[in-house]
Amino acid sequence: MAQTHPFFSPATHGFVRVAAATPVVHIADPKANAAEHIALIKRAYDQGCDLIVFPELSLSGYAIDDLVMQDALLEECRRQVVRLAEATRDAGLVAVVGIPLRMDDQLYNCAAVLARGEVLGFVPKTYLPNYREYYEKRWFSPASLDGTNVVGDDFLRLGDHWPRFGANLLFVAENRPGFTFGVEICEDYWAPLPPSTRQALAGARILLNLSASNVVIGKADDRAMLSSAQSARAMAAYVFTASGWGESTTDLAWDGQSTIHELGAKLAENERFSMENGLTIADIDVERLGAERLRTGTFADCARRELNADSLCPSVVFLARERTEPSDLQRPLDRFPFVPDDPARLDQDCFEAFNIQVQGLMRRLTATGLDKVVIGVSGGLDSTQALLVACRAFDRLKRPRSNILAYTMPGFATSDGTRANAWALMQALGVTGAEIDIRPTAETMLKEIGHPFAQGEPVHDITFENVQAGLRTDYLFRLANQNGGLVVGTGDLSELALGWATYGVGDQMSHYNVNAGVAKTLIRHLIRWVAGREHSGETAEILTAILATEISPELVPARDGQIQSTEATVGPYALNDFFLFYVTRFGMAPSKVAYLAYEAWKDRTRGDWPVGTPEDEKVQYDLATIKHWLRKFLVRFFQTSQFKRSAMPNGPKVVTGGSLSPRGDWRAPSDATAQVWLDELDRNVPD
């Protein structure tokens, strides 16, 4: 496969590569500082960056006090910003640097935006600190209150180019959709209403903060919190970089903190207190940011409410770097979107997921006044998780586990191993266990409908499978009627996405489905989590054995020693859950889903795995495999299985990827075609 195909470039899929620069500071020496800037600009270009941002007053140094009023220094800063603009012509990227700017007999603390050999504009600081150790109002004037585009008689002219000036400027790449950014400076984002909020509402998807924030104990956490919160609230990326080594330590110290956040999540951070020039780099998904805003009506409503003729953000249009070269994606990317790599986060997610399931069942039991549940236990993952949820719910309601009526119902293909695991689990958990052999009833039904299997022919078609699946559910509902209980469903979110359920009379139906909002990959880790937290000894060993069992509906007898494999039919659940998350959560095009899957799964040795993942599950997939299973997923999800999701029983939403309930996150026609998604996949993903 030719790696020169545009598919392998992050820019093709809506990513903008940004760098937060932390240069060594030369106090009141713009020429030396410019040299540090140029070196970092070249480094950023070599690493494929589209945008680089420097700290506050990076050309002059921040902690220079009254020296900032000296004509010689201001004039040298003017000369050096032109020099840096020329550096961007050669590098082909956008650079944002800090500069003290004199205009109309006033001095401003500004960010200069440079690209293609020109100074595109200057963004003045809006909120000037004048408390504690900061006294900026001694030297600088703030941006105008309304943030309008001010031009004076003494406006700084650079050659034939007249840069724009204003606090609310938007910088828009005309050749890279979504590459739109706004700029604020240090104190601005400590204000109750930061300028970046208005910039985001006006369309900026990347927000930059040039800072000279000094460091004291705990302040780094505060800055990271503000950056994370602003990126989440503004539905944007937030790039923060602060002054570091070389700044004057007369009364303050500097740690050179740099962070990049997107939608509240940290993409990258640097090592603070470094004595060397540094770059913190990440790929920002501007397409994803646009999709998130599109799906969140409150964002557009807020923009309409807050923006008016006096607060609009003038646009400065530029040509961004055209990138088609292949590159590894530079941002965290979980192989399992529903299962985080970070152990602490995984523990928290499992705690919340399990308790959401438990509380949902508890509420349904108290609402109905029923004191018993009926559940089918197969010895597989889903029924095991549902049974664990039921046990915890009954414990919290102070009801005896004996009121949990669990049934194992062996059929024509039930293995001795899964049957033994089902019985061992029921006994270990102290529920009321029983067994109903469905084969005699199934044989009667197959005979009555004239199926070839009843005449001894080895025909194991869909009818043969669904007779068994339907009988199991039929037994459970009648047992619930007989015992005054409700049927707890076991089918999970992944199966609902794929339509891997027998409609109506099968495992698609229940009185309440505790697993409906939990992806298969998360269920694996939930069982591991419950085993480690709640159980020990024999029970933990049984749960471990269930986790090691291959996923199978066990409806068709083994052939040549090979049991019926679910994943051989529908594809690896690891990939299907990956596809599901990005298709439903962000509405991404299939080609971008394929690209992200390729980046996440192409190398098993790259990146972290969720804690507890067995070695034999640490696999990798090539692009051909990903494209093959994505095609099948698209057909199943968009075309053949929506009618099943349109008749789903109740069940709690659990994961941020959403639910597939027709009463909640996903509503779609049952008669749609997948052709538009298949065409996009074939058009943009190489074979």
Side-chain angles (χ1 to χ4, degrees):
M1 183 186 304
Q3 295 291 310
T4 56
H5 193 285
F7 173 84
F8 298 99
S9 170
T12 300
H13 305 283
F15 290 96
V16 174
R17 184 163 295 175
V18 301
T22 311
V24 170
V25 180
H26 301 270
I27 300 170
D29 190 347
K31 188 174 182 180
N33 286 326
E36 304 284 4
H37 284 50
I38 290 171
L40 285 167
I41 288 171
K42 290 179 178 177
R43 277 177 55 186
Y45 172 79
D46 290 342
Q47 295 185 53
C49 293
D50 304 297
L51 172 65
I52 181 172
V53 57
F54 291 86
E56 182 178 11
L57 296 179
S58 57
L59 268 179
S60 61
Y62 177 81
I64 62 173
D65 297 331
D66 289 350
L67 298 185
V68 79
M69 304 291 285
Q70 293 288 310
D71 287 347
L73 182 116
L74 294 174
E75 182 59 25
E76 188 61 36
C77 285
R78 180 187 181 280
R79 282 194 292 270
Q80 295 306 319
V81 81
V82 175
R83 179 185 172 195
L84 291 181
E86 284 298 319
T88 65
R89 186 194 307 277
D90 297 333
L93 49 65
V94 182
V96 184
V97 305
I99 181 175
L101 177 70
R102 180 170 51 192
M103 190 185 75
D104 289 344
D105 300 324
Q106 295 181 78
L107 188 64
Y108 294 92
N109 180 344
C110 282
V113 180
L114 321 172
R116 300 279 180 170
E118 296 181 339
V119 181
L120 300 180
F122 293 98
V123 179
K125 191 171 184 175
T126 299
Y127 298 105
L128 302 178
N130 219 49
Y131 58 93
R132 297 193 187 99
E133 60 268 24
Y134 299 107
Y135 305 100
E136 288 191 31
K137 289 183 180 179
R138 177 183 175 97
W139 310 292
F140 298 110
S141 296
S144 60
L145 292 177
D146 59 6
T148 54
N149 198 38
V150 179
V151 179
D153 294 335
D154 296 325
F155 188 78
L156 183 64
R157 179 173 177 175
L158 299 170
D160 294 329
H161 179 64
W162 294 72
R164 303 290 292 273
F165 179 91
N168 289 330
L169 295 179
L170 285 190
F171 297 88
V172 182
E174 64 177 346
N175 59 332
R176 296 276 296 277
F179 184 1
T180 302
F181 67 89
V183 184
E184 62 186 5
I185 301 174
C186 199
E187 184 74 12
D188 288 347
Y189 92 141
W190 296 84
L193 184 61
S196 59
T197 298
R198 182 168 286 112
Q199 294 163 7
L201 292 173
R205 297 185 188 178
I206 303 173
L207 308 173
L208 309 180
N209 188 313
L210 295 75
S211 179
S213 179
N214 72 298
V215 63
V216 292
I217 293 173
K219 194 172 184 181
D221 290 341
D222 292 343
R223 292 185 298 225
M225 177 270 295
L226 284 171
S227 297
S228 172
Q230 187 64 350
S231 73
R233 183 179 296 108
M235 296 186 184
Y238 200 91
V239 185
F240 175 93
T241 185
S243 298
W245 176 255
E247 277 285 8
S248 172
T249 57
T250 301
D251 288 303
L252 302 173
W254 317 87
D255 64 341
Q257 182 179 18
S258 293
T259 59
I260 302 174
H261 288 81
E262 180 183 296
L263 293 175
K266 182 174 63 182
L267 300 185
E269 64 179 343
N270 69 335
E271 180 181 348
R272 298 187 296 133
F273 298 104
S274 173
M275 296 173 62
E276 307 292 334
N277 281 335
L279 293 176
T280 305
I281 297 175
D283 287 320
I284 291 171
D285 192 346
V286 293
E287 277 189 356
R288 178 189 178 195
L289 295 171
E292 189 73 358
R293 291 177 177 183
L294 182 68
R295 283 161 174 72
T296 309
T298 49
F299 186 89
D301 291 343
C302 186
R304 283 189 290 268
R305 183 183 182 91
E306 297 298 329
L307 297 181
N308 53 54
D310 295 327
S311 62
L312 293 178
C313 300
S315 295
V316 179
V317 179
F318 65 95
L319 285 173
R321 176 182 185 179
E322 293 285 359
R323 290 176 54 201
T324 58
E325 68 277 9
S327 172
D328 288 337
L329 192 64
Q330 295 197 31
R331 61 185 278 130
L333 183 60
D334 288 335
R335 289 179 175 86
F336 302 95
F338 299 111
V339 186
D341 297 338
D342 179 67
R345 177 63 189 276
L346 178 57
D347 180 74
Q348 178 70 14
D349 283 9
C350 287
F351 167 80
E352 292 184 344
F354 188 58
N355 281 283
I356 289 169
Q357 291 180 281
V358 168
Q359 193 164 42
L361 182 57
M362 289 169 58
R363 185 66 187 97
R364 181 51 51 93
L365 287 170
T366 56
T368 58
L370 300 174
D371 61 358
K372 292 179 181 178
V373 296
V374 175
I375 182 170
V377 180
S378 67
L381 295 174
D382 293 339
S383 64
T384 295
Q385 176 62 16
L387 185 58
L388 292 171
V389 168
C391 288
R392 170 62 75 84
F394 272 66
D395 291 347
R396 291 193 61 188
L397 291 170
K398 302 186 185 309
R399 297 180 182 178
R401 289 190 180 184
S402 57
N403 281 9
I404 300 172
L405 310 181
Y407 295 87
T408 182
M409 291 175 281
F412 297 117
T414 302
S415 67
D416 292 339
T418 54
R419 179 173 173 271
N421 283 339
W423 265 113
L425 183 65
M426 292 187 294
Q427 292 169 347
L429 294 177
V431 302
T432 299
E435 181 173 305
I436 298 176
D437 187 342
I438 66 168
R439 286 172 293 186
T441 309
E443 288 170 347
T444 298
M445 180 176 285
L446 290 167
K447 179 180 178 181
E448 292 297 327
I449 66 174
H451 191 275
F453 181 81
Q455 281 73 50
E457 297 182 34
V459 177
H460 305 133
D461 56 9
I462 189 67
T463 304
F464 176 81
E465 293 188 50
N466 282 348
V467 162
Q468 298 172 77
L471 280 174
R472 284 174 174 145
T473 302
D474 198 18
Y475 271 120
L476 293 175
F477 272 96
R478 302 297 75 78
L479 287 164
N481 296 154
Q482 185 179 23
N483 292 281
L486 62 80
V487 177
V488 175
T490 61
D492 61 47
L493 181 67
S494 308
E495 293 178 341
L496 290 167
L498 296 165
W500 193 247
T502 303
Y503 181 74
V505 297
D507 50 345
Q508 181 255 358
M509 190 51 60
S510 63
H511 287 127
Y512 191 77
N513 188 357
V514 295
N515 287 342
V518 188
K520 183 81 75 178
T521 48
L522 180 55
I523 281 182
R524 281 187 176 277
H525 288 271
L526 276 170
I527 294 173
R528 289 191 183 105
W529 184 84
V530 175
R533 286 293 195 92
E534 308 285 328
H535 303 286
S536 60
E538 181 184 0
T539 305
E541 291 177 3
I542 295 166
L543 294 173
T544 301
I546 291 171
L547 285 167
T549 303
E550 182 172 0
I551 300 172
S552 171
E554 292 196 322
L555 295 171
V556 175
R559 295 174 183 173
D560 300 324
Q562 184 66 43
I563 68 168
Q564 184 183 17
S565 170
T566 297
E567 291 183 299
T569 302
V570 300
Y573 275 112
L575 288 181
N576 283 318
D577 282 357
F578 193 98
F579 304 153
L580 172 65
F581 179 82
Y582 286 103
V583 166
T584 58
R585 180 68 176 81
F586 300 107
M588 288 183 179
S591 61
K592 184 166 184 176
V593 175
Y595 172 75
L596 290 174
Y598 177 67
E599 285 292 314
W601 287 96
K602 66 183 179 181
D603 185 354
R604 67 185 300 273
T605 66
R606 182 178 172 219
D608 297 324
W609 291 84
V611 63
T613 303
E615 284 300 316
D616 62 351
E617 293 181 19
K618 295 179 179 179
V619 298
Q620 62 189 41
Y621 299 105
D622 59 22
L623 183 58
T625 301
I626 291 168
K627 185 176 181 180
H628 169 78
W629 289 119
L630 179 53
R631 169 176 285 278
K632 289 185 176 295
F633 173 88
L634 295 172
V635 173
R636 281 184 168 275
F637 184 77
F638 287 107
Q639 186 165 311
T640 64
S641 60
Q642 177 58 38
F643 75 99
K644 297 181 182 180
R645 296 189 290 269
S646 295
M648 282 173 53
N650 293 171
K653 177 179 175 179
V654 176
V655 296
T656 56
S659 76
L660 295 177
S661 168
R663 300 167 295 278
D665 290 354
W666 184 255
R667 305 179 191 194
S670 297
D671 305 314
T673 173
Q675 196 58 51
V676 66
W677 290 271
L678 297 174
D679 289 346
E680 198 281 340
L681 180 73
D682 290 335
R683 186 168 56 247
N684 296 316
V685 180
D687 292 325

